[in-house]
Amino acid sequence: MINLILFGKPGAGKGTQAAFLKKRYELVHISTGDLFRNHIQNKTDLGTLAQSYMDKGDLVPDQVTINMLEQEVAQNPAAKGFIFDGFPRTTAQAQALDGFLRSLNMQISGTLALEADDDLLVGRLLKRGETSGRTDDQDEAKIRNRFEEYNTKTAPLKDYYQAQNKFFTIDGVGEISEITARLEAVVDQLK
Ligand code: AMP
């Protein structure tokens, strides 16, 4: 079984690359951002709650996010493995994920961090915002706040996974196919 975390700032290419890795290694792709957006679309209570944070570019509270993620994993008992995209984003989430996976006799194989400059990421996100309809991609102040959330709450996870020898940095700049090849080279060593 192979369980990957795709790590990186908003716009780093996690969703795009997850789509390739999912096919290549037959994994279940779980994006907490997509799950929240589905809840918002379906007008659930969780969606209403999540939206109030997402609209500002703030993180949704840990326990809400962790519960949603655990439910999603539990709904895929036959999975050959998972790609976690946009989760964990805080140390509390990482600890909860480790504990939860352990309880299922599973573990994280590796955390793949896609790296690119902030200015390049802002450009990518504003461009995505033209077609995605995502209001959090259409306003530079919200984008910068998402980076701030990342820097303060998510970036420390690098140390968390490095301490477990599970952190791999991948250059996230270039053609999509080149970046996929860089990721595959790392994943193939984890198998
Ligand atoms: P994303 O699609 O991954 O860029 O996520 C969009 C938004 O959803 C984020 O800016 C957060 O408000 C929320 N979100 C997604 N994943 C998480 C998470 N793991 N923890 C907290 N909030 C999250």
Side-chain angles (χ1 to χ4, degrees):
M1 190 174 207
I2 184 150
N3 297 303
L4 306 173
I5 294 171
L6 272 179
F7 194 78
K9 284 186 182 165
K14 301 187 294 293
T16 303
Q17 294 299 335
F20 287 101
L21 296 175
K22 168 189 163 155
K23 269 202 198 142
R24 170 80 175 77
Y25 299 102
E26 298 178 72
L27 305 174
V28 173
H29 172 206
I30 301 183
S31 154
T32 42
D34 286 350
L35 290 174
F36 284 134
R37 282 184 288 276
N38 284 342
H39 276 281
I40 290 171
Q41 221 169 10
N42 295 328
K43 300 191 177 356
T44 68
D45 289 346
L46 175 55
T48 307
L49 175 82
Q51 188 163 27
S52 63
Y53 294 92
M54 291 167 76
D55 275 348
K56 289 181 274 178
D58 290 343
L59 293 186
V60 177
D62 280 333
Q63 206 48 54
V64 174
T65 309
I66 291 165
N67 290 346
M68 179 178 74
L69 185 282
E70 291 185 355
Q71 267 181 34
E72 199 63 23
V73 172
Q75 276 169 22
N76 288 282
K80 289 188 179 172
F82 292 89
I83 304 179
F84 300 106
D85 159 7
F87 184 95
R89 265 175 154 102
T90 64
T91 304
Q93 291 180 16
Q95 288 167 341
L97 180 63
D98 272 351
F100 177 62
L101 293 181
R102 209 177 302 120
S103 75
L104 299 171
N105 261 325
M106 291 161 55
Q107 60 169 334
I108 292 300
S109 314
T111 297
L112 311 174
L114 288 167
E115 296 212 320
D117 272 4
D118 279 11
D119 287 344
L120 185 125
L121 295 176
V122 171
R124 278 188 191 169
L125 289 169
L126 289 171
K127 187 138 188 45
R128 182 171 79 184
E130 290 170 11
T131 52
S132 69
R134 282 181 59 173
T135 51
D136 61 346
D137 283 347
Q138 291 167 355
D139 174 342
E140 186 163 342
K142 285 182 192 173
I143 291 173
R144 297 270 177 201
N145 185 50
R146 284 155 71 199
F147 289 175
E148 190 53 34
E149 287 281 79
Y150 178 92
N151 290 334
T152 55
K153 298 176 183 166
T154 309
L157 292 183
K158 179 175 181 175
D159 291 342
Y160 181 88
Y161 288 108
Q162 250 169 358
Q164 300 182 25
N165 287 321
K166 288 182 180 172
F167 194 84
F168 303 89
T169 302
I170 286 105
D171 180 2
V173 182
E175 294 293 324
I176 291 175
S177 58
E178 287 171 356
I179 301 167
T180 307
R182 289 173 203 150
L183 287 163
E184 281 177 350
V186 176
V187 177
D188 285 342
Q189 288 187 349
L190 298 173
K191 287 202 294 177

